């Protein structure tokens, strides 16, 4: 069992804030500042260039990858950190396309994160081989899996609605049709147990700045199933993916394992922050996390629906059909969210009308949910959103 | 004028160390720890998600880009930070190839950093349009510029020998032949004045962890000449390069300016470290830096040649023909460098036989050069390198 009162005490929370946006950027673990300071002062400052070996910087991307691997059900040695999620999506998709050279259709849904779709468009254009990116409604995905399909590329949890795809079922169906799967775990890694092995997933990617609490700009990760790694030709063939980076050969030879998905120099300071947040995650039972997350989201939905008839639930009502976020639609959702934020309940807004709230049992408890519902009800009951100051659309994050 | 005694005092140097490896990883500026701690504690810790706007994270890549732009002679608004150098090389080369669709030859030299060559190989393979990467000896580059040439892709300073390409002359010759140029400034940005505008360069890239002292894993930068940016179709079309990232459109529309070369979420903690090191660089006169660098390398060459006849200079003897490093060949160079490192003179080794020493006037002075020469002479005179402990090749960085 995981003691969530204990994990809550491991996070810094700004005074009075109820932070329901850990699905966008996780809050700061208290131990992170010291860990990052150590990387700056003791590692970089004292070891300088020798830090690559003596402080373990060179091995960080795979060492940290294994710790994330436990959370997502990956085999040890098959997850590596680096770059951004967009880059990792590009790598995964490029490798997947290579594995099915005679097919041209890449299937995704309109609930995929736009950057995944943009990266796919860019890759298809670069390849110039007539691939088609077919974008269907989330509920239509299964119906579009057929023998033309090259790659099924999905984000497991819809960033707007929180709707959860059936990874196991869709993977099996896609594979039965001869296709390869690429799963983006941006809103699942750290949000619930993921079982990549059990689902027989081919490729997966994810980020660490959301539920994994590694901070703004934290590195992404990529998983390649053991059966594919030897046939996986890196499109982004950087020197740290080379079999012998420091031989400085002029010919690229991919590394033997997941290392081949590395590209350039790893972001050591960001990796230190991830190291600190994984010290918390190492202690977390993912089934207990999921149970706690479902309890929080059920409580939130019940509270909001009882008190805010103006808001319409757009997340799946079945808790097993959604991730760890809850979204409500409201025509003036942007202003309403600004009014909540002004009252220290932090969620976010996604166009055109979605108020989005994330629930992370590591630092959010039932008391927080009650307090958040009180604020949202106050905003709605008293039309606090109907104030010009909240309607000015600033740069939205 | 720049007061180099004052800048030297701004760096932390491990006790007794003479650090001649700032061309590989720059040392820690004293102010960096506090700046990074502020990013962790005050920005991430207190502002959480609102840091993207309220702490200026979203604008950092272009704001820091302009400060680097001054050092490399770029127009304001045409440099952006992000990702790693390998990724930025890929983006620049992909965009350059697009500008000359009817040509197939990409010319580079065997002194280019291997990752640049690997990334080019990977891109050519993805494109599948019959491009040829022609790799010639550095001194043969000019002779291979002809009307078949699509892109001239070079690293301005050879990472092994320190030999400096004539950026202005080669750019003019390549452009006269109808080609596009991509310059990697890894060993020139912060090593000497660079004048991208004066050279009429097309694309440039570079890293910030070497001479620019932004720390291990610091982000890379890319420059696109103003005349090209509108025609530059990003191959890595990530959401932060989109014209309106937070509109979450399903269609990619590139940003209007250099922002289109952004890909994913910027590494905020690494950017904070860069911000601190640029506080030093903002004060540096690049012509004074170059004069000081030449004085140090001339002193070092004279000292080593006078006292170590076993070592053979492989860097250009003309100081205007080299960057800010000096390399000597020695058959047992690996062991000899280990012996120097054991005596706190830190340089590095590059296969097969190169002992490489970098000179950064910001923190190295004439007294350091004399002391380093004393140690190297001791290692050579007394065959201190001839010890099995130094001959064990560990992982080399």
């Amino acid at each position: 069992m995981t003691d969530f009162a204990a994990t809550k005490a491991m996070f810094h929370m700004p005074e009075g804030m109820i932070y329901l946006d850990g699905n966008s950027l996780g809050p700061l673990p208290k131990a992170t500042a010291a860990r990052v300071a150590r990387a700056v002062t003791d590692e970089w400052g004292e070891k300088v260039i020798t830090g690559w070996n003596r402080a373990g910087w060179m091995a960080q991307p795979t060492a940290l990858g294994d710790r994330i691997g436990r959370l997502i059900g990956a085999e040890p040695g098959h997850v590596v950190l680096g770059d951004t999620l967009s880059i990792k999506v590009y790598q995964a998709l490029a490798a997947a396309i290579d594995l099915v050279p005679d097919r041209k259709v890449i299937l995704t849904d309109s609930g995929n994160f736009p950057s995944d779709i943009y990266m796919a468009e860019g890759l298809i254009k670069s390849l110039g081989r007539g691939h088609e990116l077919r974008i269907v409604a989330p509920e239509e995905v299964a119906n579009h899996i057929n023998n033309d399909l090259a790659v099924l590329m999905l984000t497991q949890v819809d960033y707007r609605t929180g709707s959860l795809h059936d990874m196991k079922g869709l993977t099996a169906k896609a594979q039965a049709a001869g296709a390869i799967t690429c799963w983006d775990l941006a809103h699942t890694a750290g949000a619930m147990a993921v079982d990549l092995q059990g689902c027989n997933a081919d490729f997966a990617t994810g980020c660490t700045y959301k539920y994994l609490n590694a901070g703004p700009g934290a590195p992404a990760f990529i998983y390649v199933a053991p059966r594919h790694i030897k046939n996986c030709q890196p499109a982004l063939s950087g020197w740290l993916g080379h079999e012998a980076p420091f031989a400085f050969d002029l010919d690229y030879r991919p590394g033997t394992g997941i290392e081949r998905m590395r590209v350039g120099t790893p972001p050591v300071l960001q990796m230190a922050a991830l190291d600190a947040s994984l010290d918390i995650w190492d202690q977390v039972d993912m089934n207990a996390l999921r149970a706690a997350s479902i309890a929080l989201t059920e409580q939130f939905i019940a509270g909001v629906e009882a008190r805010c008839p103006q808001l319409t639930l757009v997340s799946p009502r079945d808790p097993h059909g959604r991730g760890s976020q809850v979204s409500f639609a409201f025509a003036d959702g942007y202003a309403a969210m600004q009014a909540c934020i002004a009252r220290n309940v932090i969620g976010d807004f996604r166009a055109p009308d979605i108020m989005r709230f994330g629930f992370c049992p590591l630092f959010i408890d039932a008391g927080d949910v009650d307090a958040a519902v009180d604020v949202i009800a106050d905003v709605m009951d008293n039309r606090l959103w109907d104030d010009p100051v909240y309607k000015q659309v600033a740069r939205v994050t």
Side-chain angles (χ1 to χ4, degrees), chain A residues 69-115:
Chain A
R70 182 187 75 85
L71 309 179
I72 59 176
E75 298 86 347
H78 289 274
V79 176
V80 70
L81 273 293
D83 306 296
T84 62
L85 179 50
S86 295
I87 295 289
K88 286 331 201 192
V89 165
Y90 187 90
Q91 288 184 288
L93 181 59
I97 285 174
D98 263 359
L99 293 175
V100 274
D102 298 332
R103 296 187 179 197
K104 301 295 180 193
V105 177
I106 297 153
L107 178 64
T108 190
D109 70 15
S110 55
N112 203 346
F113 190 67
S115 202

Side-chain angles (χ1 to χ4, degrees), chain A residues 195-277:
Chain A
D195 184 8
L196 290 175
Q197 287 183 73
C199 292
N200 200 38
D202 298 291
F203 294 87
T205 54
C207 65
T208 64
Y209 54 77
K210 295 178 182 290
Y211 291 95
L212 294 177
N213 313 106
F221 63 82
I222 186 167
Y223 163 83
V224 180
R227 63 187 176 281
H228 292 313
I229 192 70
K230 296 278 182 231
N231 300 319
C232 191
Q233 295 305 318
L236 301 176
S237 42
W239 72 306
L240 289 186
H242 193 281
E243 186 181 28
F246 294 98
F248 300 106
D249 294 331
L250 293 185
D251 290 319
Y252 181 78
R253 298 191 309 278
T256 49
I258 192 68
E259 296 79 4
R260 67 176 60 182
M261 302 312 270
R262 293 176 65 162
V263 184
T265 311
V268 169
L269 305 185
Q270 309 277 165
M271 296 267 179
L274 176 59
D275 184 30
S277 66

Side-chain angles (χ1 to χ4, degrees), chain A residues 375-386:
Chain A
V375 167
I376 297 166
D378 183 39
V379 166
M380 299 312 302
D381 287 348
N382 298 300
R383 295 177 61 94
L384 299 177
W385 52 266
D386 194 12

Side-chain angles (χ1 to χ4, degrees), chain A residues 120-352:
Chain A
E121 288 173 348
L123 175 62
I124 287 171
K125 198 167 157 189
S126 286
L127 294 175
R129 289 174 214 154
H131 285 89
E132 175 202 344
L133 182 65
R134 194 170 293 171
I135 306 176
V136 302
E139 60 277 16
E140 289 297 317
V141 167
N143 295 336
H144 284 80
I145 295 174
N146 57 40
N147 291 337
D148 290 337
L149 188 61
V151 181
L152 176 62
M153 178 186 95
L154 293 172
T155 294
Q156 193 186 4
V157 171
D158 188 309
Y159 75 105
R160 303 160 310 166
T161 64
S163 180
L164 174 68
H165 275 306
D166 169 10
M167 185 191 285
K168 189 164 188 172
L170 289 172
T171 297
K173 185 163 186 182
Q175 290 172 346
I180 297 287
T181 56
C182 292
W183 289 98
D184 178 341
L185 308 179
H187 293 269
T188 19
M192 65 181 69
V194 179
D195 184 8
L196 290 175
Q197 287 183 73
C199 292
N200 200 38
D202 298 291
F203 294 87
T205 54
C207 65
T208 64
Y209 54 77
K210 295 178 182 290
Y211 291 95
L212 294 177
N213 313 106
F221 63 82
I222 186 167
Y223 163 83
V224 180
R227 63 187 176 281
H228 292 313
I229 192 70
K230 296 278 182 231
N231 300 319
C232 191
Q233 295 305 318
L236 301 176
S237 42
W239 72 306
L240 289 186
H242 193 281
E243 186 181 28
F246 294 98
F248 300 106
D249 294 331
L250 293 185
D251 290 319
Y252 181 78
R253 298 191 309 278
T256 49
I258 192 68
E259 296 79 4
R260 67 176 60 182
M261 302 312 270
R262 293 176 65 162
V263 184
T265 311
V268 169
L269 305 185
Q270 309 277 165
M271 296 267 179
L274 176 59
D275 184 30
S277 66
L278 289 177
D279 285 346
I280 302 176
W281 279 102
D282 287 347
Q283 309 168 32
V284 176
D285 176 307
M286 298 306 286
N287 293 319
L289 181 93
R290 179 62 168 157
S293 156
I294 287 176
L296 294 172
T297 55
E298 289 286 277
Q299 178 191 352
F300 183 74
I301 291 171
V304 171
E305 292 198 323
R307 297 176 58 187
C308 309
Q310 307 90 334
L311 302 185
T312 306
L313 181 70
V314 292
S315 295
R317 193 166 294 279
D318 174 4
H320 301 290
R322 64 178 185 251
S324 201
Q325 71 174 67
V326 174
S327 298
F328 284 96
F330 178 58
D332 279 292
Y334 179 80
M337 185 56 81
Q338 296 308 307
C340 292
I341 292 171
R343 285 152 186 83
N344 246 340
V345 171
I346 315 296
D348 59 24
F349 174 78
R350 287 293 176 260

